[in-house]
Amino acid sequence: MFKLTPPLGWNTWNTFGEKINEQLILDAADEMVRSGLKDCGYEYIVIDDCWAMKERDENGKLVADPAKFPNGMKALSDAIHAKGLKFGMYSCAGTLTCAGYPASYDYEFIDAATFAEWGVDFLKYDYCFHTPLIKAKYLYRRMGAALANCGREILFSACSWGIDETQKWIKTTGASMWRSTTDIFDSWSFIKKLTAQQKELHPYNGVGCFNDMDMLVVGMGGRGNVGKESGCTFEEYRSHFSIWCMMGSPLMIGCDIRSMNEETGSILMNRDAIAIDQDPSCNQPYRITDCRYPDEDVLIYARLLTNGDYAIGVFNMGDAEHSADFLLDEIGLPISCGKTLLMRDVWSGKEEMPKNNTVSVRVKAHDCRLWRCKVV
Ligand code: GLA
C-alpha cells in the first residue's frame, strides 16, 4: 500500500502488552474519536502481540483467543470501521511472535488471507524466532508478496529493528514503514538512544516508506508494559514528540488514551507539530552543525516544508541547560539573499526573528524549541 505521509494511530503494546481484549480496543477506538485524536489524523487502531491462541486450527489458520476476543476479529474490525477508523493487527516473520504466540513463517499466504478476511488494514510484522537460514529480506518479501496478493489493501509495517541493514532492502518488500530503532521504553535515556539511532538513516525516510522510530511513550507516566522505567517529565515527552515529528516518523500512540490528561492531549494533538510530521514533501531533515556552541548533546535540525516554510528544532538531549546559536547560511539563507525567518514557536505560539542572521536560544536540559518558520 502506497502511503504518502507517515501513518498515525494507536497501538496496544506500550501500555497493555498481553493484557488486551475486545472491550479495551472498542473503548480506545471510541476515545480516539471523542478526544479529537481522529480529527488530528490518527486513524489506525492496532492490536500488537498476544491476541492469538497458542495453536492454529485444523486448517492451519490463526485463531483469535476467544477469552480476549469473544466475538472474533471480523466483528471487532467491523466495529472499528463503523467508527471511521482503521484496524491493525500483528504477526511475525519467525515461527513464534516475540511473546511466543504462533507466527507467520511458512504460513505467509494463509495468514495474509486470514487478515484480509478479518478486514485488517495494517499489519505490523515482527522479527523474533526467525530461522537463521533465510535472510531477513527474503522473509519480509514473502509477507510483502502475500499481502499484495491477499485481495485487500493492507499497510505493511515491518519491524526488524534495522537488522541486516533493513534500510537498503525494505523498499523491495512493499512495506510502507519499517522499524529503524530498537524497542522504546518509557524513559528519557531511550528517547535519546532512539534519536541517535536515526543519525545515518534520514536519507532513507520518505514518501512511500517511512522510518518508524517506534511507538510513542508520551503520556505513559511510567505505567504499563514498557513503563517499568521512570517515565518522563512533560518537557521530555514534548521533546520526544517534537523529534518524532521533525524526523517524519509514524506517530503511533502508546499510552492509555482512555485516561489521557490535558497535558498529554496538548502534546499529541498539537496540530502544528503534526503538520510538520505530515508535511507532504517528506523532505529530509538535516542537522545544523555550524553553530557557536557545539555540543554533541544539542541537536539542531531543519527541514524544508512543502510551502517553502522551514521546520527548525533545537533539542537539548543533555543533562545541563545549553545555549544554541546558529547561522541561517546552513539552511540556504545567507545574509546576501536579503531574507530572514519569521519563527513561530509550535508549543507557545510566540513569534520571533533571528538577529543578524543568527538564531540564539537557551534550552533547558531535555527540553526543546520547535518552530515553523516563514521566509520573509
Ligand atoms: C518486539 C517489537 C515490539 C512489540 C513486541 C511484542 O519487541 O519490537 O514493538 O511488538 O515485540 O512482543
Side-chain angles (χ1 to χ4, degrees), residues 30-193:
D30 281 339
E31 196 51 30
M32 188 93 124
V33 178
R34 195 206 59 77
S35 60
L37 285 166
K38 176 172 178 278
D39 287 341
C40 290
Y42 296 93
E43 57 176 347
Y44 291 98
I45 296 280
V46 183
I47 302 178
D48 207 283
D49 206 348
C50 310
W51 57 265
M53 292 293 282
K54 289 275 166 98
E55 301 293 337
R56 290 173 177 267
D57 73 7
E58 63 281 5
N59 300 314
K61 285 172 70 170
L62 291 166
V63 184
D65 184 341
K68 294 175 180 171
F69 299 97
N71 295 299
M73 289 305 180
K74 178 68 172 75
L76 182 53
S77 133
D78 287 346
I80 289 172
H81 290 145
K83 299 176 201 298
L85 297 167
K86 293 183 177 157
F87 180 45
M89 288 191 69
Y90 164 101
S91 188
C92 177
T95 48
L96 294 173
T97 70
C98 297
Y101 292 80
S104 297
Y105 175 62
D106 260 352
Y107 287 90
E108 291 87 354
F109 279 83
I110 295 176
D111 291 353
T114 305
F115 292 132
E117 206 178 287
W118 289 346
V120 169
D121 306 295
F122 176 112
L123 182 70
K124 174 172 169 183
Y125 203 54
D126 223 328
Y127 195 50
C128 287
F129 298 104
H130 59 88
T131 165
L133 302 175
I134 304 180
K135 288 190 173 131
K137 61 184 169 193
Y138 300 138
L139 293 175
Y140 279 89
R141 279 180 196 150
R142 287 183 181 203
M143 188 47 103
L147 290 175
N149 287 283
C150 75
R152 187 179 171 83
E153 249 201 348
I154 300 182
L155 189 154
F156 188 21
S157 167
C159 182
S160 64
W161 323 295
I163 276 172
D164 290 343
E165 297 190 298
T166 312
Q167 68 275 16
K168 297 201 174 150
W169 49 263
I170 195 61
K171 287 181 185 166
T172 67
T173 68
S176 300
M177 56 195 264
W178 67 284
R179 263 285 287 287
S180 53
T181 62
T182 50
D183 281 13
I184 199 163
F185 288 87
D186 185 18
S187 75
W188 179 252
S189 62
F190 278 90
I191 292 165
K192 188 172 170 176
K193 176 172 144 190

